Amino acid sequence: MRPWVVWATPFVAVILAVIVGALLIIGFHHNPVVAYSALFQGAFGNVQDIATTLTDSLPLMLTGLGVAFAFRAGLFNIGGEGQYWVGAIVATIFGIAFPGLWAPVHIFICIVAAMIAAGLYAAVIPGLLKAYLGAHEVITTMMLSYAMVFFGHYLVENGPMMRPGFIPESRPLAASALLPTLVPGSQLSVGIFLAPVCALAMALLLNRTTYGFGIRTVGQNPRAARYAGIRVPIYTVSALFVSGLFMGLAGSVQVMGVEHQLLDGFNSGYGFTAIVVALLGKNHPWGTLAAAILFGALSAGANTMQINAAIPVQLVNAVEGLIIFFVATEGLIHWGLSRRHAAVQPAPGQGALAG
Amino acid sequence: MPLLQVHGITKRFGSLTANDRVTIDVEAGEVHAVLGENGAGKSTLMNIIYGLLHPDEGSMTLAGQPFQPRGPREAMAAGIGMVHQHFMLIPALTVVENIVLGREPGTRLRLDLDVAAREIRQLGGRYHMEVDPYARVRDLPVGLQQRVEILKAFYRKARLLILDEPTAMLTPQETGELFAIIERLQGEGLSILFISHKLEEARRIAQRITVMRLGRVVETLPAEGATAQELANAMVGRDVVLQVERDPQPPGDPVLEVENLTVLDATGKPRVKDLSLTVRAGEIVGIAGVDGNGQEELAAALAGLLPAVHGRIRLAGRDVTGAPVRRRLEEGLGYIPADRQAEGLVMNFTLAENLALRSYWRAPYARGLMLAFERFNSVGRGQLERFDVRPADPRMLARQLSGGNQQKVILAREVGARPKMLIASQPTRGLDVGAIEFVQRRLLELRSQGTGILLISLELEEILALSDRIGVLYGGQLVAMLDGARVTRERVGLLMAGSREEVSA
């Protein structure tokens, strides 16, 4: 595979989704140009819109980085949703527990506690089971994800964290645990600055540290890694831990920056969308951020599109679905992009040159 | 008149000319070997004859008639059968189902396999290629799977059989059986195109040999009278040293001591049983044996990839029985794994990264916990040049290299680490003559520098050529330890097949 083909694939997937989405919009007797420009306006039209887009993107950026990191170690952490809930729950507990602390300290404690808890939730059970018993992390992270999401619901629905009254939600966090708002009138908090910091940290960790070299080796070829003296189980467990750190960070930042309390409706599917975000971003830190912004823009712009162009939000969901579809059929796009080279060079496996 | 005549065939892939005005003919009842290194254009030529590829120029005739197959179906109909190096069989189906595939007997709605099975039994009986038509292909050993492929060609009434590297996956015994089959087929008037890069085999089985290099026919000559040296030179395009020189040299202190080693495989079966052996500095100990007699498990246990359930392993005097892989590497172990793509290299890593694989965590590749990534390429380039890797570009990906160059990268890494003890598992498997020579020379060079080498190989010739002492592995046990200078090929062969004799280490 040529490198440019690999990098072009996500763009082609998005373009194809936009084209097929346009056909779909035409099919429903709307004007795709009007629809897309309303969508774009809604996502990037003014500072408030951009703030909303970034607010919607932030949890996807962080969870996306978590999925991407696990992928780089050859692991498929699809239980990000549950780990995200762990982060949210722990941040809420710590955010309520120490009112009156100096805000930077309080925020720091909440975030670190949430990250470590979520990291352990990913590493201890799925990580150890995978490393020493070979239990597949797709199953274990998925199962534990559901367990944690339901446990979170229980906590605020008649559980110990429910505030007095009848609404299934926790008490609000202490003011000292809230992330300052960045754009007045929006929900965008200073937490957004964590995204590029995290992406940079992940890039450095993977490419500039010996630990990252081990992670990449294990991810690319665990057998060769063993032969080279790398202890694969350690990397399996620790990669899931680091992946969980990102998820926990996402959950805590969402509680501390946007929701300010744990809600029954907190569940949002970020942990699952994160998988698509990471795939679209080619498991590359900066690519993942870009993909998250795309998905944030789609969700933020959808409402404007509905109001201004009277086009149902569901069409945006369809476009999201199409992107997922075209990312998933990446092999097809590869084939399409490299077809003109196929005339020059036989496909691998055909072996015409191997003689 | 020749059965098949190929005249001036040219085939280009972009800027690469895979076949350049190739002319070759095959007589009826002849075994014609096409000899060449990987990339010489042999497979391209065969794929053209079989209709898988279409030539840009040139023509072919089959039994005097113009022959331009548009696809394998037409080639088969014209009487050409091909057995690919990687078999085209469906493992879950039975032998008869595989053979009739695409030409199912019976009516449109009813498949009549029994008729076909009878016919297969008859064919098999006639050519001494017995195989149970109702056995599932996945349950058959490689040698029998190949028979199924040959029978498949027969079932389709082939007059010319193309065998593409047919011995690559076979044990020496299976190779012998295959050659007996080829001789019988030839006796029936069948023509065979025998594609190989092993010149001894070509000399043994063929009447005429065509040597190809870089897409061109170098020469066609009678097998009788052709010397191995002249064939090798023609294949490689320069003078090759076939029999590497091995100076006598007194061995030094033991660098590997194995005592009563027992190793289990993943299913808990003992695959190495109570094995003891010693390798001294400056000595090559060869391990001969038929594939599957514990070679893999022995190598894995020595490297630390499989636990020793019983026994001791000492490396340069230090006990490493329970030590992890990395400690053994640091104690001076080098390891060339049997499967270079799956075990030796990370195919999506650059050559520089692959060279750093076993020592990336320390100098010169690391400073503390950080990679000294700017040194990767400069350190790598020197190593690649010393080991003649082509291209010597540390930024290339491992998967972009040929097999021989991939093996050189592994050699550069393992030999470059200046090991006291090197385990070389199948170090020349699948390589062409030039690369084999290179690898073997490096091993001997390492020996003269005082490294102890355990050479595990399925190529008996290689063991005989390189080893100071030869251990024979049978059923997980070392059944003999022989003096490499005085042993005969026949004696080792007998021991490999299970004939018992006292260990005289």
Side-chain angles (χ1 to χ4, degrees):
Chain A
M1 198 82 57
R2 279 139 200 275
W4 71 265
V5 172
V6 175
W7 291 109
T9 307
F11 293 98
V12 176
V14 171
I15 291 166
L16 284 174
V18 167
I19 293 170
V20 177
L23 296 177
L24 211 60
I25 294 169
I26 294 170
F28 284 91
H29 306 293
H30 294 288
N31 183 338
V33 178
V34 173
Y36 282 132
S37 56
L39 187 68
F40 187 83
Q41 278 292 321
F44 302 105
N46 58 41
V47 176
Q48 285 297 324
D49 294 331
I50 293 173
T52 307
T53 295
L54 290 178
T55 306
D56 288 355
S57 308
L58 180 56
L60 288 175
M61 292 180 182
L62 299 176
T63 51
L65 289 175
V67 173
F69 189 85
F71 262 129
R72 293 296 286 271
L75 296 165
F76 202 171
N77 178 10
I78 67 172
E81 186 72 13
Q83 295 142 26
Y84 172 81
W85 268 85
V86 172
I89 292 167
V90 170
T92 305
I93 293 171
F94 279 73
I96 295 170
F98 308 107
L101 270 180
W102 186 45
V105 173
H106 199 178
I107 289 169
F108 181 78
I109 291 173
C110 288
I111 288 179
V112 169
M115 287 173 73
I116 291 175
L120 291 175
Y121 195 62
V124 175
I125 302 174
L128 291 176
L129 284 180
K130 166 87 177 183
Y132 295 101
L133 295 174
H136 204 289
E137 74 280 2
V138 164
I139 306 293
T140 51
T141 56
M142 181 78 160
M143 296 296 183
L144 286 178
S145 174
Y146 284 118
M148 187 48 63
V149 172
F150 286 121
F151 180 70
H153 281 296
Y154 153 75
L155 287 178
V156 292
E157 284 173 34
N158 302 320
M161 285 178 73
M162 186 176 171
R163 75 192 294 181
F166 301 98
I167 311 166
E169 59 184 25
S170 76
R171 293 197 335 230
L173 274 66
S176 55
L178 300 182
L179 293 170
T181 304
L182 190 64
V183 176
S186 81
Q187 291 184 306
L188 185 65
S189 73
V190 296
I192 191 68
F193 295 122
L194 289 169
V197 171
C198 285
L200 185 66
M202 177 171 151
L204 290 177
L205 187 64
L206 281 175
N207 298 320
R208 299 285 165 91
T209 67
T210 57
Y211 173 75
F213 191 94
I215 285 280
R216 287 187 291 125
T217 308
V218 170
Q220 286 285 338
N221 187 347
R223 263 174 92 187
R226 283 191 68 206
Y227 277 75
I230 295 172
R231 293 193 187 200
V232 177
I234 292 174
Y235 285 90
T236 300
V237 175
S238 66
L240 279 171
F241 179 74
V242 174
S243 176
L245 291 180
F246 285 113
M247 306 295 182
L249 178 63
S252 63
V253 167
Q254 189 69 0
V255 164
M256 295 159 67
V258 178
E259 310 287 355
H260 298 174
Q261 64 187 149
L262 194 64
L263 299 161
D264 195 37
F266 185 73
N267 192 357
S268 55
Y270 288 132
F272 296 112
T273 312
I275 297 166
V276 185
V277 166
L279 280 177
L280 189 62
K282 288 274 150 209
N283 300 321
H284 191 282
W286 304 110
T288 302
L289 293 199
I293 289 175
L294 173 71
F295 273 78
L298 284 174
S299 102
N303 289 322
T304 315
M305 190 178 82
Q306 180 161 31
I307 296 162
N308 291 357
I311 291 163
V313 176
Q314 282 73 14
L315 277 174
V316 172
N317 297 341
V319 172
E320 285 178 11
L322 287 167
I323 294 176
I324 296 172
F325 174 80
F326 286 115
V327 169
T329 52
E330 152 177 61
L332 214 61
I333 296 173
H334 279 164
W335 176 77
L337 285 178
S338 46
R339 198 169 37 161
R340 59 200 189 89
H341 295 283
V344 181
Q345 283 193 337
Q350 198 175 321
L353 288 175
Chain B
M1 185 183 58
L3 175 65
L4 174 76
Q5 195 148 26
V6 174
H7 189 77
I9 291 277
T10 296
K11 177 72 189 171
R12 295 185 196 89
F13 297 107
S15 59
L16 188 128
T17 307
N19 276 178
D20 187 1
R21 286 160 288 162
V22 171
T23 295
I24 182 173
D25 62 84
V26 186
E27 301 288 340
E30 179 193 31
V31 177
H32 192 133
V34 178
L35 202 56
E37 299 201 287
N38 296 330
K42 301 176 304 234
S43 288
T44 303
L45 179 62
M46 295 311 129
N47 286 334
I48 287 172
I49 297 173
Y50 196 54
L52 282 165
L53 294 172
H54 307 291
D56 298 324
E57 287 159 32
S59 62
M60 297 190 283
T61 60
L62 189 67
Q65 303 295 314
F67 177 57
Q68 282 178 296
R70 274 172 298 181
R73 202 172 265 271
E74 280 189 22
M76 274 187 264
I80 292 182
M82 180 155 174
V83 178
H84 291 85
Q85 183 178 355
H86 302 285
F87 305 144
M88 307 285 172
L89 296 172
I90 300 168
L93 296 184
T94 62
V95 169
V96 57
E97 284 167 339
N98 266 288
I99 288 178
V100 302
L101 204 65
R103 280 190 59 158
E104 296 84 351
T107 62
R108 206 169 275 269
L109 290 174
R110 212 178 57 84
L111 185 60
D112 193 354
L113 288 177
D114 292 335
V115 172
R118 263 200 303 281
E119 203 178 325
I120 289 161
R121 278 222 172 83
Q122 268 172 15
L123 274 175
R126 199 164 118 213
Y127 299 109
H128 301 277
M129 288 197 283
E130 287 83 2
V131 49
D132 175 9
Y134 295 107
R136 289 206 185 275
V137 164
R138 63 159 175 251
D139 300 330
L140 299 179
V142 178
L144 280 184
Q145 292 189 17
Q146 189 174 52
R147 278 188 197 184
V148 176
E149 283 276 22
I150 296 174
L151 281 170
K152 195 163 106 187
F154 268 109
Y155 185 77
R156 282 143 214 247
K157 313 265 185 282
R159 306 185 266 176
L160 171 68
L161 189 62
I162 302 171
L163 300 174
D164 190 4
E165 300 278 0
T167 61
M169 322 271 277
L170 302 185
T171 64
Q173 279 82 353
E174 286 173 327
T175 302
E177 286 166 28
L178 173 70
F179 283 8
I181 290 171
I182 291 177
E183 274 159 15
R184 275 194 293 275
L185 298 178
Q186 189 185 3
E188 299 268 332
L190 198 86
S191 304
I192 287 162
L193 261 171
F194 183 93
I195 315 308
S196 182
H197 65 267
K198 297 184 182 171
L199 42 95
E200 285 305 335
E201 291 181 352
R203 269 175 10 127
R204 220 169 113 196
I205 196 70
Q207 281 80 58
R208 283 192 297 158
I209 300 174
T210 294
V211 182
M212 288 185 74
R213 174 157 48 88
L214 303 172
R216 298 200 182 129
V217 169
V218 180
E219 58 182 341
T220 297
L221 69 175
E224 207 165 331
T227 67
Q229 186 66 52
E230 112 189 65
L231 289 172
N233 292 352
M235 268 168 79
V236 182
R238 62 181 166 83
D239 287 347
V240 198
V241 182
L242 277 184
Q243 188 67 44
V244 277
E245 286 299 313
R246 197 160 51 86
D247 304 321
Q249 165 176 313
D253 297 331
V255 283
L256 176 73
E257 293 158 278
V258 180
E259 284 168 24
N260 308 104
L261 179 69
T262 296
V263 185
L264 308 180
D265 66 9
T267 65
K269 261 195 262 165
R271 299 302 298 269
V272 175
K273 299 168 197 159
D274 199 27
L275 181 145
S276 299
L277 96 126
T278 302
V279 180
R280 294 169 182 280
E283 177 187 49
I284 298 184
V285 175
I287 297 292
V290 177
D291 198 10
N293 274 284
Q295 290 96 331
E296 262 176 65
E297 290 78 8
L298 173 61
L302 295 180
L305 297 159
L306 278 178
V309 290
H310 185 69
R312 304 227 134 276
I313 301 168
R314 264 193 298 277
L315 201 62
R318 299 237 223 159
D319 192 310
V320 294
T321 311
V325 180
R326 181 167 292 170
R327 220 195 97 205
R328 299 181 199 217
L329 298 181
E330 293 302 297
E331 293 280 354
L333 183 72
Y335 189 61
I336 299 174
D339 187 335
R340 56 184 160 267
Q341 302 198 344
E343 297 160 347
L345 293 170
V346 179
M347 299 302 273
N348 284 328
F349 271 13
T350 63
L351 301 187
E353 286 174 316
N354 271 296
L355 288 169
L357 215 55
R358 54 175 279 173
S359 42
Y360 68 89
W361 48 275
R362 58 166 163 77
Y365 295 114
R367 270 187 233 101
L369 293 176
M370 302 303 283
L371 289 178
F373 66 96
E374 75 284 351
R375 284 194 208 143
F376 271 60
N377 288 341
S378 54
V379 174
R381 191 180 301 276
Q383 266 178 299
L384 295 175
E385 277 163 7
R386 265 198 302 286
F387 282 81
D388 192 32
V389 177
R390 291 178 208 176
D393 180 354
R395 293 161 304 177
M396 289 267 285
L397 297 182
R399 67 179 149 85
Q400 293 172 301
L401 295 191
S402 69
N405 281 302
Q406 288 175 351
Q407 191 72 333
K408 286 182 190 172
V409 173
I410 296 175
L411 266 179
R413 180 179 73 215
E414 299 301 322
V415 174
R418 306 215 157 277
K420 293 176 194 150
M421 172 69 211
L422 178 75
I423 299 167
S425 198
Q426 313 267 25
T428 61
R429 176 156 75 180
L431 302 186
D432 52 44
V433 183
I436 289 174
E437 182 200 1
F438 182 89
V439 171
Q440 294 185 342
R441 272 171 181 278
R442 286 293 166 148
L443 292 181
L444 287 174
E445 224 172 271
L446 208 56
R447 165 182 176 267
S448 58
Q449 288 162 8
T451 299
I453 299 175
L454 188 71
L455 172 68
I456 301 173
S457 177
L458 298 178
E459 301 282 345
L460 187 49
E461 297 305 330
E462 174 166 83
I463 299 261
L464 290 168
L466 298 180
S467 308
D468 296 297
R469 288 187 295 138
I470 297 173
V472 182
L473 203 56
Y474 178 77
Q477 288 176 307
L478 206 57
V479 293
M481 183 57 82
L482 311 159
D483 182 345
R486 273 176 293 178
V487 73
T488 63
R489 192 189 149 80
E490 289 65 35
R491 179 138 174 253
V492 179
L494 276 174
L495 289 164
M496 281 167 68
S499 127
R500 307 283 305 194
E501 116 174 36
E502 279 306 298
V503 179
S504 53

